[in-house]
Amino acid sequence: MHSASWRAATVLASVLLVGTMAACGNSDTGGGGTKDDGKITMGFSQVGAESGWRTANTTSIKESATAAGIELKFDDAQQKQENQIKAIRNYIQQKVDVIAFSPVVESGWDTVLKEAKDAGIPVILTDRSVDSADKTLYKTFLGSDFVKEGKLAGEWLVEQKKTATGPVNIVELQGNTGAAPANDRKKGFGEAIAANPNLKIIASQPGDFTRAGGKQVMEQFLKANKQIDVLFAHNDDMGLGALEAITAAGKVPGKDITIITVDAVKDGMQALADGKFNFIAECSPLLGPQLMDLAKKVHAGETVPARIETEETTFTQEQAKEALPNRKY
Ligand code: AHR
């Protein structure tokens, strides 16, 4: 090749190379860590591993990330807000493309969410929401309507006890203090049972969404209260823990004490089918596929709905028997 043609070819190659690099984008700009392979990286901060629901949710997220070709950085916060804040700050430093998290409590997120926003990293809330007044701090919230779940549980009880002529004593096992599902399920249930003044919550304590917590608090309830007619547990796991305490106290769960829970995980559904629980309001943990879809959309700069509500149902003992064989989690 003549030297003039050689120089022209070299210049052309450089122009093409620069052009290609510009088209691929730069991982240090535009608020994300898209690498040259074009893969989206998601930093996910999970609440913990407190319940069967949470385990199913974690599995759903991990499997869906793999299926969607999204690189997942996963952190288990062990039910501590400070661990979640630390994980989110790490993800900001690592310049991930999208941050998603399920906030252990509702309050106290504004500062770290602002840091993510300033770094240009979109945030998706999943399962639980935050109480931030500034809704621009996150792109969307994907999850259940917890108030509705509490309301459905309460309405079922109102119907069951419509002929009650005297007081119906209810004890309540709450989720961890300050968590959206604990606040909202309490609210929805309380509003629904207000329809019948005979229905009274005589004791209400947090059992932290765990079996151990449910068992321990139920033991205290049984010691302190002679007559307990109904238990409303904010999740299956606390209800399952409470079963042990109720049986140990010589009472028959599902008969001497009516038991209502939330979630409908396999163990809860088994207890319902076996007649130990009486009613479950479903809360679906299978949020992974929708979450990955949303991550792709927000990363591409598409507008997504501010709120995406999970579809859910309720189960009686008969319905649990039918649904159990196909229950995946
Ligand atoms: O936020 C969802 C709740 O968290 C589930 O109902 C409970 O089981 C979990 O720990």
Side-chain angles (χ1 to χ4, degrees), residues 77 79-87 104 109:
Q79 296 245 59
K80 291 201 176 87
Q81 183 174 32
E82 66 260 33
N83 290 347
Q84 288 201 295
I85 292 175
K86 208 163 131 199
V104 62
W109 300 101

Side-chain angles (χ1 to χ4, degrees), residues 14-37:
S14 311
V15 168
L16 283 174
L17 184 64
V18 170
T20 311
M21 282 170 73
C24 286
N26 179 335
S27 66
D28 290 338
T29 59
T34 310
K35 296 174 294 307
D36 289 346
D37 61 7

Side-chain angles (χ1 to χ4, degrees), residues 50-51 53-54 127-128 146 181 185 209 234-235 263 283:
E50 73 281 5
S51 62
W53 188 100
R54 190 63 56 195
D127 162 35
R128 302 179 181 182
F146 298 132
R185 287 172 187 163
F209 285 126
H234 288 188
N235 78 344
D263 278 354
C283 177

Side-chain angles (χ1 to χ4, degrees), residues 6 89 109 130 143 156 166 171 187 191 208 230-231 257 259 262 274 298:
W6 173 251
R89 289 201 168 122
W109 300 101
V130 298
W156 179 83
V171 295
K187 181 172 187 279
E191 284 171 4
D208 295 339
V230 178
L231 163 65
I257 300 181
I259 302 178
V262 184
D274 292 345
V298 298

Side-chain angles (χ1 to χ4, degrees), residues 185-196:
R185 287 172 187 163
K186 180 168 190 46
K187 181 172 187 279
F189 184 78
E191 284 171 4
I193 63 166
N196 181 349

Side-chain angles (χ1 to χ4, degrees), residues 37-281:
D37 61 7
K39 222 179 185 185
I40 296 172
T41 302
M42 173 189 282
F44 187 90
S45 168
Q46 180 59 291
V47 168
E50 73 281 5
S51 62
W53 188 100
R54 190 63 56 195
T55 306
N57 181 244
T58 293
T59 304
S60 171
I61 285 159
K62 288 185 175 172
E63 287 179 356
S64 309
T66 307
I70 289 178
E71 188 183 325
L72 185 71
K73 293 176 185 288
F74 184 91
D75 184 80
D76 175 340
Q78 299 178 346
Q79 296 245 59
K80 291 201 176 87
Q81 183 174 32
E82 66 260 33
N83 290 347
Q84 288 201 295
I85 292 175
K86 208 163 131 199
I88 293 169
R89 289 201 168 122
N90 277 337
Y91 295 146
I92 295 171
Q93 247 181 6
Q94 292 169 34
K95 297 188 167 69
V96 299
D97 296 302
V98 180
I99 292 173
F101 78 114
S102 170
V104 62
V105 291
E106 279 187 288
S107 305
W109 300 101
D110 288 24
T111 306
V112 75
L113 287 177
K114 179 129 195 333
E115 287 166 21
K117 190 180 174 187
D118 290 346
I121 303 177
V123 172
I124 300 175
L125 303 177
T126 175
D127 162 35
R128 302 179 181 182
S129 191
V130 298
D131 64 3
S132 304
D134 181 357
K135 306 290 177 212
T136 69
L137 293 177
Y138 54 92
K139 295 287 176 194
T140 181
F141 164 41
L142 163 70
S144 312
D145 181 342
F146 298 132
V147 177
K148 189 166 150 197
E149 292 167 354
K151 200 163 167 266
L152 290 169
E155 283 171 354
W156 179 83
L157 186 63
V158 169
E159 178 59 23
Q160 297 302 304
K161 301 289 177 187
K162 65 180 177 210
T163 54
T165 47
V168 175
N169 291 341
I170 305 166
V171 295
E172 181 181 34
L173 284 168
Q174 301 172 32
N176 61 290
T177 305
N183 296 340
D184 293 354
R185 287 172 187 163
K186 180 168 190 46
K187 181 172 187 279
F189 184 78
E191 284 171 4
I193 63 166
N196 181 349
N198 280 323
L199 305 184
K200 284 206 176 68
I201 298 180
I202 56 164
S204 181
Q205 291 287 328
D208 295 339
F209 285 126
T210 65
R211 287 192 193 202
K215 181 175 179 223
Q216 197 199 331
V217 179
M218 192 68 203
E219 281 166 357
Q220 292 165 15
F221 285 163
L222 286 158
K223 268 188 204 141
N225 301 281
K226 263 208 160 68
Q227 182 63 37
I228 296 175
D229 302 305
V230 178
L231 163 65
F232 172 47
H234 288 188
N235 78 344
D236 286 340
D237 280 79
M238 290 190 294
L240 291 162
L243 286 183
E244 293 179 42
I246 293 168
T247 313
K251 295 189 188 292
V252 183
K255 294 210 161 57
D256 295 336
I257 300 181
T258 300
I259 302 178
I260 306 166
T261 66
V262 184
D263 278 354
V265 295
K266 229 178 194 157
D267 289 353
M269 291 287 270
Q270 188 63 60
L272 187 59
D274 292 345
K276 294 175 183 166
F277 284 180
N278 301 79
F279 187 74
I280 302 181

